[in-house]
Amino acid sequence: MDNVSSMFFLSGFSETRNYRFIIFFLTLLCYCTILVFNSILIDKTLHEPMYILLCTFCMNGLYGSSGFYPKFLWDLLSPVHVISYSGCLIQALVMYSFVCSDLSILAVMAYDRYLAICRPLEYHSLMSKQRLVKLVCFSVITPFCIMSTNIFLTSRLKLCSCHIARLFCVNWIIVSLACYPADTTLNNIVAYITIIFYLLHGAFIVWSYMYLIKTCVNSAENRAKFMQTCVPHLASLLTFLVTGLLDIMYIRYGSRDLPQTVQNFIAIEFLIIPQIMNPLIYGLKLKKIQHRILRFLNIKIS
């Protein structure tokens, strides 16, 4: 199969034909909601590290959504569901660099809350503007570089099929289309290194919040800080882990005997649920974000 000139067929759309206009309307509504919610939370006037990280979190959500929704909306109304080889690799890069960046940002948020509650006297020196910039760059650039390496290794494979049983391109599924499984050894090694690297992010987050909970138990003031600023992070983390792990486990080990509709839901829930829930969670819990939303609504109403 000539990778340069090939087209992939996205067979996951086979079950959407009878309901495509309803799905299109709901998807468009969902996409507009994500754009509006995340855009509201991007506030350049808030300069505290926590809000800068939240701004980065929302911008990353917009980046990830752009890799899925426009193409998905187009495919819903198109009679042929295809994507070019290069377009498929780019989509896979965007989608999974977005997911990895989300986890990195959540890890930095956990570190920020650990410093703010457990080491308040050192907070401003340890979370300086220069360090914050470095952490934000790490959260955005590192996932992109890691996933670029994975995608580059995929691009060298000779493929023997052009059918992807999904609604969008996934790197591991492209790798599974390789003509010679022996050629994918390096892909597997790098993929598992990537998984371990981000599992360490998760372990760091768990350690941070265990230490935070231990510190806050005996202090009413710290408990109030925890409830106000840490609960949204924990809720975002839980949403991310449940939706992300479900998709990863299904890609690697799931049964293809499930109805296509169920497979489609598992495939896209990590792109829908967190992107809508996160702005709602932060908007309801953080006072400055509440004021930002109220100002936005007042401007719209007036």
Side-chain angles (χ1 to χ4, degrees), residues 176-220:
S176 69
L177 302 178
C179 298
Y180 309 106
D183 291 344
T184 67
T185 301
L186 186 56
N187 295 73
N188 291 329
I189 292 172
V190 174
Y192 281 114
I193 290 174
T194 302
I195 291 172
I196 292 171
F197 180 69
Y198 284 101
L199 283 176
L200 291 175
H201 281 55
F204 172 77
I205 295 171
V206 171
W207 174 85
S208 298
Y209 280 107
M210 287 178 64
Y211 199 90
L212 277 166
I213 292 170
K214 182 180 177 181
T215 303
C216 294
V217 167
N218 298 320
S219 171

Side-chain angles (χ1 to χ4, degrees), residues 38-282:
N38 283 278
S39 298
I40 291 175
L41 297 191
I42 297 174
D43 191 344
K44 297 179 181 178
T45 64
L46 299 176
H47 300 295
E48 296 176 31
M50 180 176 64
Y51 295 109
I52 293 175
L53 291 171
L54 177 58
C55 177
T56 306
F57 197 50
C58 293
M59 292 176 67
N60 188 57
L62 295 176
Y63 162 73
S65 299
S66 69
F68 169 72
Y69 283 96
K71 179 67 171 67
F72 181 69
L73 289 167
W74 174 267
D75 283 332
L76 284 172
L77 299 183
S78 175
V80 181
H81 310 120
V82 297
I83 186 171
S84 67
Y85 176 79
S86 58
C88 192
L89 293 181
I90 291 172
Q91 186 179 56
L93 172 63
V94 171
M95 301 284 281
Y96 283 91
S97 61
F98 145 71
V99 171
C100 294
S101 185
D102 254 9
L103 186 55
S104 292
I105 295 169
L106 286 169
V108 177
M109 284 180 169
Y111 175 66
D112 174 74
R113 290 301 86 202
Y114 160 75
L115 292 180
I117 294 177
C118 301
R119 303 171 68 177
L121 299 178
E122 304 172 83
Y123 177 74
H124 292 291
S125 60
L126 292 174
M127 188 57 78
S128 63
K129 184 176 181 180
Q130 292 79 7
R131 176 168 290 187
L132 179 62
V133 170
K134 291 178 182 178
L135 290 172
V136 169
C137 290
F138 167 80
S139 302
V140 175
I141 297 174
T142 303
F144 186 84
C145 292
I146 291 175
M147 291 313 303
S148 294
T149 302
N150 280 270
I151 297 300
F152 170 75
L153 293 174
T154 300
S155 67
R156 68 187 177 84
L157 299 175
K158 179 177 175 61
L159 308 181
C160 286
S161 175
C162 58
H163 291 275
I164 296 178
R166 300 272 288 197
L167 300 170
F168 56 91
C169 293
V170 179
N171 185 51
W172 180 248
I173 291 183
I174 301 173
V175 171
S176 69
L177 302 178
C179 298
Y180 309 106
D183 291 344
T184 67
T185 301
L186 186 56
N187 295 73
N188 291 329
I189 292 172
V190 174
Y192 281 114
I193 290 174
T194 302
I195 291 172
I196 292 171
F197 180 69
Y198 284 101
L199 283 176
L200 291 175
H201 281 55
F204 172 77
I205 295 171
V206 171
W207 174 85
S208 298
Y209 280 107
M210 287 178 64
Y211 199 90
L212 277 166
I213 292 170
K214 182 180 177 181
T215 303
C216 294
V217 167
N218 298 320
S219 171
E221 181 182 354
N222 285 340
R223 284 200 300 271
K225 288 182 181 179
F226 184 88
M227 293 301 295
Q228 184 66 32
T229 62
C230 296
V231 168
H233 299 159
L234 283 173
S236 294
L237 177 64
L238 182 62
T239 304
F240 173 86
L241 289 178
V242 171
T243 56
L245 287 176
L246 181 61
D247 183 60
I248 291 172
M249 295 301 292
Y250 179 74
I251 290 175
R252 292 274 177 167
Y253 311 110
S255 170
R256 297 296 181 264
D257 296 330
L258 290 174
Q260 186 63 52
T261 303
V262 176
Q263 294 184 43
N264 288 345
F265 174 76
I266 294 174
I268 65 173
E269 38 85 31
F270 80 98
L271 296 165
I272 297 175
I273 298 174
Q275 300 312 308
I276 293 178
M277 290 299 297
N278 289 338
L280 290 175
I281 291 168
Y282 287 102

